[in-house]
Amino acid sequence: MTGTTLATRRAPALGSPARRRTRRRGRRILYWVATHAIAIALAIMFLAPLVFMFLTAVMSSNETLTGELWPRSWHWSNFGTALTTDHGVMLHWLLNTLLYAVLATAFMLVSSIPVAYALARFRFRGRKLAFVLVITTMMLPPQVTIVPMYIVWARFHLTGTLWPLILPMLFGDAFSIFLLRQFLVTIPAEYADAARVDGCGEFAAMLRVVLPMARPAIAAVALFQFFYAWNDYFGPLIYTKPDSWTLAVGLSTFRAAHHVEWNLTMAATLLTVLPVMVVFFLAQRVFIQGVTLTGVKG
Amino acid sequence: MAAALTARRAPASRARRRHRLRVLAFLSPWLLGFTLFFAYPLAATVYFSFFRYNLFQLTPVGLTNYRFLFKDPYAWRAIKNTLWLVVVMVPLRVLFGLALAQLLTRIKRGGNILRSIFYLPFLIPPVAATVAFVFVVNPGTGPVNGIAAKIGIHLPDWFNDPDWTKPGLTLLALWGIGDVMIILLAALLDVPTSLYEAAAIDGANAWQRFRRITLPTISPVLMFSVVTGVIQTLQYFTQAMVAANASQGNADQAGTTTAPGYPDGASLTFPQTLYNEGFQQFNMGYACVLALVLFVVAMFFTLILLRRFHAFGDDD
Amino acid sequence: MSPRPWRLITASIITAAAATACTAGGQSPASGGPKADAPQTIEVWHGWSAPHEVKAFEDAIAGFHRLHPNITVKLVKGQDDTKILNAIRGGNPPDVVSSFSTNNVGQFCSSGALQDLTPYLKKDKVDLNLFPKAVQDYTQYRGDRCTLPLLADDYALYSNKALMKGNPPPKTISQLTALAKKLTVRNADGTIKVAGFIPSETYYEHVPEHIAGPSFGATWLTAQGRADFAADPAFTKYLQWEKGLLDWYGYDNVKKFIHSMGQEFEASNPFEKGKVAMAIDGEWRTKFLQQEAPKVQYATTPTPVDDARANTYGGGFVTGTIIGIPRGARHAQASWEFVKYLTTDTDALVTFANGLGNVPSTIPALASPNLDLPPQFKTFLDVFKNPNSSTIPSTINGGDFIVKFQSFVQEQWEPGKVTNLRQGLQGLDKKVNDALQLAGG
């Protein structure tokens, strides 16, 4: 699907066939060169900061302050130092981050899918209101409710842990509900109806027929949630203490703790980025499959 | 819908009740969540806004917190900055995302690699991306301004110059364009090829095809990008805060707090004011007032967008 | 579902929840927890982070382990006031906290974030006169003693002997200004190669409280505890001197110089690198110089004072690290034993002071023959005892007035955005007073 491009769909223009062909080919080559040149230039700009990060990560600490581009000597051990510094505190942050990201994603899926399904499939009074309210909660910046929420979690003695960020995911995530609902609406009702005719209950129809069709959307929502948790700074900044710091909060203090040892900070940064990149490259196929699926269905 | 079709007159009420129960069951997680994490805190925010509250002592102060809002120099600065970001950063992100997605549909070989490259920066945790970005464009130590100077371009001192801080943050946001791009790319690929073929037979040119086919087909997704873009900007916090701390010379000293929004309040966003008042100064009552302002603004944008897109395009 | 019952349910839950939330501020009496001789682990948060600093702390508490083998101490480094306050307010605090700055003592004490230590002090009959008078003052707020001093810091002028080219260290502001200009070496394009003295408040420790108070005699607040920036001529004098010297260098040149220098607590510090001839800094710099730049020859002298106040020469800015027990600490008894040991035990303080290069905070420790510090350190001991030394007042919202003044200097005054200084300072007064009022001060 990604291979099909607009360029190949170009329409034949008017004019004599022979002239048309040469002119078209000339324009095509020009067009090809232009798009590829732009794309490559952009790609270099997108990668440059990462390359600088990497080059800084392997420099010696003094060299990072000189504004030099290329390391004079390569200090691969910086990665090891970043990992093991402070009794391997980065690994501790990693475990916390994983706890947060994995549980939040799992809880979100369990709670949000039925809600999205109901909003997409069922007709009931207040359905529109419910959907508008979902959008409203989605629009709502987390800071709006943070003060009372903080007070509540403090009463349960759960501040200082990641639970105030994980537990709410058991009660549906507005963004995910919205996105799933938008996708589920596009699946023709006949599929679920057919399943019900075969004697399935509504829940079974959802699980067996509709959800497999919605797999790309579910995967996308799960990935978004996972990345959201992985990258979240505001939540852990408010709720956690050093024991329960995630990588995001830890990294922000890493810099202060290591003063301007930019090489170590950049090494730690790259190590933080790495797992997310692995997940992305593994999950990329899910994305593409999702895109293809929508194409087939449309 | 199915229930309504199959149910006939006599067992109608029973079927309706069953249907209601089913709806309730499916919606129950959200109903609970809505009550616990939206309705209650919102009501409590209103309640606390009439108190001076530092989490230890709760003192009723009437409208003092509301009156302070009009005297608070930080709040007004933050409102202006946040509006700037909504007006400049959101459209730029959507346009740039659309342009990249369009570009990607035109690249045959290596399209996958390019897509990954454009998406990659979005995956970098914002804290890390911001620290790295500030370092990279720092005129003193970073390589970017140095390289630009060599080819004769004088780049500003991004995160230390009040005039260039928000453009710097916008640049950072454009680097992390991945989310918008991938959503728009999926939408573009979803446009049925047959439509283009039909248009081509009618002799439509590229712009006409884009106007008449691409744009209408992807408009719900464009709308979605704008909506989420505005949401993200209203809660824009991490990058602004980390950039300010990373670029400020004396931010490393433990125990010292500095005025928020370095330099000169240029990076101060509204959520940051709220964080500063609520969780650094512990004027939690006043933070509730700020939260309510944020809520009103967010609602305002929600309503505009809800109307603008006819309650999200698709309807029953 | 029909909307009516749904609305009813929502409404009732909201009211129920709101009702419970009102009592969220309720406090259970502290001082619970296990007895001090039960086996337990206490968590101690502190702000130090450099390796030699962390080691110094560990060394200092070795004696405590011998004294109380049942108490395990878990030190958590690199904490600041925001994190401390967050943890306390969240109801999940560590057992002991220490802060580098006295700025927030008012907030710590008045809000009850840190426990009043008076009952503990009375029970164990600790005599507060163990601590010098100034130190006693800055560790309490309006009679509420919620912290004790853990070592002290003061400030003086460091001068690099090689870069001074035989000139004696300045004693007055006019001498300092003249020398700063004389010793500055510029590059061909006018940028700074070696600076005599960087007046900008963004230069590490050249913040206003270290200069405006001790050198110009600024008093920060009126007797009523209100901001006094416009009325107190010392601020105007300080600002005009600061800006005058800054403009002599050129604002952009100074900015460039400051961005190019490394972080404060590391070997790339410009004083350690020989890039500035004179700098006001804390006593701990002696230790950093010993560790990171042992070859630099330097002298220390008291902070230069305004010519009109030449008789006050010898004093300086005094502050200190404070330590206290959060409300809600789970092992309050053991925590007290730890705080008592660390703040009053002469050997512990001397070990710690030696390790950090800090000023000990008790009179016996100040007199201890075991203090093993470089000769330049003597200046700091003298400044500490000098009656002209001063610190900043405590307010209910911590160091907010300083933060606001600093940002005014850094972001408006230094770049030259202030056209009418008096009006600017009046505006600043109003901002500070509004914020004080909001916090209930």
Side-chain angles (χ1 to χ4, degrees), chain B residues 47 54 56 262 264 282, chain C residues 6 22 89 111 410-411 417:
Chain B
Y47 175 82
N54 59 11
F56 301 130
Y262 176 87
D264 200 13
F282 284 95
Chain C
W6 180 78
C22 307
R89 288 173 208 261
S111 68
Q410 179 180 347
E411 291 161 5
K417 290 184 188 168

Side-chain angles (χ1 to χ4, degrees), chain A residues 111-131:
Chain A
S111 62
S112 301
I113 290 174
V115 180
Y117 185 79
L119 288 174
R121 274 279 153 272
F122 298 158
R123 275 181 174 268
F124 54 92
R125 269 168 74 191
R127 156 184 146 138
K128 193 148 181 180
L129 174 75
F131 187 52

Side-chain angles (χ1 to χ4, degrees), chain A residues 65 86 124-125 129 133 150-151 154-155 157 159-161 237-238 241-243 245 253 255-261, chain C residues 1-3 6 20-21 23-24 43 45 49-50 74 76-77 79 83 86 89-92 262-263 265-266 268:
Chain A
L65 293 172
D86 259 337
F124 54 92
R125 269 168 74 191
L129 174 75
L133 286 179
Y150 185 84
I151 294 165
R155 269 179 77 77
H157 291 286
T159 48
T161 71
L237 182 72
I238 297 279
K241 61 176 189 172
D243 286 8
W245 274 353
T253 64
R255 203 191 137 251
H258 293 267
H259 306 312
V260 78
E261 282 170 281
Chain C
M1 60 180 282
S2 64
W6 180 78
T20 56
T23 54
E43 193 171 315
W45 284 13
S49 60
K74 186 180 160 201
V76 185
K77 67 175 188 175
Q79 299 304 312
K83 289 186 200 123
N86 265 331
R89 288 173 208 261
N92 219 347
Q263 243 43 32
F265 299 108
E266 61 162 45
S268 61

Side-chain angles (χ1 to χ4, degrees), chain C residues 85-421:
Chain C
L85 279 164
N86 265 331
I88 298 173
R89 288 173 208 261
N92 219 347
D95 296 290
V96 176
V97 295
S98 101
S99 162
F100 277 169
S101 117
T102 57
N103 291 6
N104 289 324
V105 169
Q107 206 178 1
F108 281 137
C109 292
S110 66
S111 68
L114 297 185
Q115 297 181 23
D116 186 0
L117 297 176
T118 315
Y120 298 105
L121 290 162
K122 279 206 177 116
K123 191 187 78 186
D124 285 0
K125 300 192 178 64
V126 176
D127 182 8
L128 282 176
N129 290 324
L130 198 64
F131 309 108
K133 178 76 176 65
V135 175
Q136 282 183 42
D137 284 349
Y138 71 61
T139 47
Q140 55 90 38
Y141 177 70
R142 297 189 180 168
D144 185 348
R145 168 154 304 283
C146 73
T147 73
L148 282 175
L150 173 62
L151 304 183
D153 299 315
D154 57 15
Y155 292 78
L157 186 77
Y158 283 77
S159 42
N160 183 319
K161 278 189 177 156
L163 297 178
M164 292 297 278
K165 296 175 185 149
N167 294 291
K171 289 185 172 177
T172 64
I173 288 290
S174 58
Q175 287 169 5
L176 174 70
T177 313
L179 257 181
K181 292 178 181 173
K182 192 170 149 194
L183 299 177
T184 296
V185 183
R186 293 187 192 246
N187 294 313
D189 59 354
T191 54
I192 304 163
K193 193 172 176 194
V194 175
F197 181 91
I198 295 287
S200 170
E201 81 101 21
T202 54
Y203 182 91
Y204 310 135
E205 298 294 336
H206 291 182
V207 288
E209 62 258 44
H210 297 166
I211 299 176
S215 302
F216 291 88
T219 52
W220 294 88
L221 302 174
T222 64
Q224 289 74 40
R226 288 285 176 254
D228 205 18
F229 295 114
D232 186 344
F235 287 106
T236 308
K237 212 166 182 185
Y238 157 71
L239 287 171
Q240 275 159 355
W241 163 75
E242 194 248 11
K243 179 85 173 128
L245 186 53
L246 194 70
D247 288 345
W248 180 82
Y249 283 107
Y251 176 70
D252 286 335
N253 290 335
V254 170
K255 218 166 75 165
K256 202 161 186 183
F257 183 81
I258 283 173
H259 288 320
S260 71
M261 62 197 199
Q263 243 43 32
E264 181 175 4
F265 299 108
E266 61 162 45
S268 61
N269 179 297
F271 186 80
E272 296 178 21
K273 280 270 179 216
K275 285 188 172 169
V276 297
M278 296 172 287
I280 290 169
D281 213 336
E283 82 291 341
W284 62 80
R285 183 64 55 199
T286 56
K287 201 74 194 175
F288 279 85
L289 281 158
Q290 207 174 48
Q291 298 263 329
E292 297 172 345
K295 284 185 188 141
V296 172
Q297 297 282 310
Y298 68 99
T300 59
T301 47
T303 309
V305 293
D306 184 27
D307 300 56
R309 306 177 70 248
N311 57 329
T312 64
Y313 183 74
F317 187 77
V318 176
T319 182
T321 303
I322 52 169
I323 189 165
I325 304 171
R327 75 135 83 193
R330 296 217 175 80
H331 310 92
Q333 309 295 328
S335 300
W336 165 245
E337 291 300 328
F338 182 79
V339 169
K340 183 176 74 171
Y341 171 82
L342 204 55
T343 55
T344 61
D345 186 276
T346 305
D347 285 344
L349 281 168
V350 169
T351 310
F352 207 1
N354 286 342
L356 288 179
N358 266 202
V359 179
S361 44
T362 65
I363 290 166
L366 274 165
S368 167
N370 296 330
L371 270 183
D372 174 27
L373 293 159
Q376 290 92 339
F377 202 85
K378 189 176 174 304
T379 308
F380 294 97
L381 294 175
D382 294 341
V383 168
F384 193 67
K385 291 178 214 152
N386 191 291
N388 292 313
S389 287
S390 62
T391 187
I392 47 160
S394 224
T395 69
I396 196 157
N397 60 356
D400 179 66
F401 63 100
I402 293 183
V403 170
K404 287 204 164 78
F405 184 65
Q406 259 188 40
S407 89
F408 171 79
V409 177
Q410 179 180 347
E411 291 161 5
Q412 297 188 25
W413 175 248
E414 289 189 1
K417 290 184 188 168
V418 180
T419 43
N420 185 331
L421 180 58

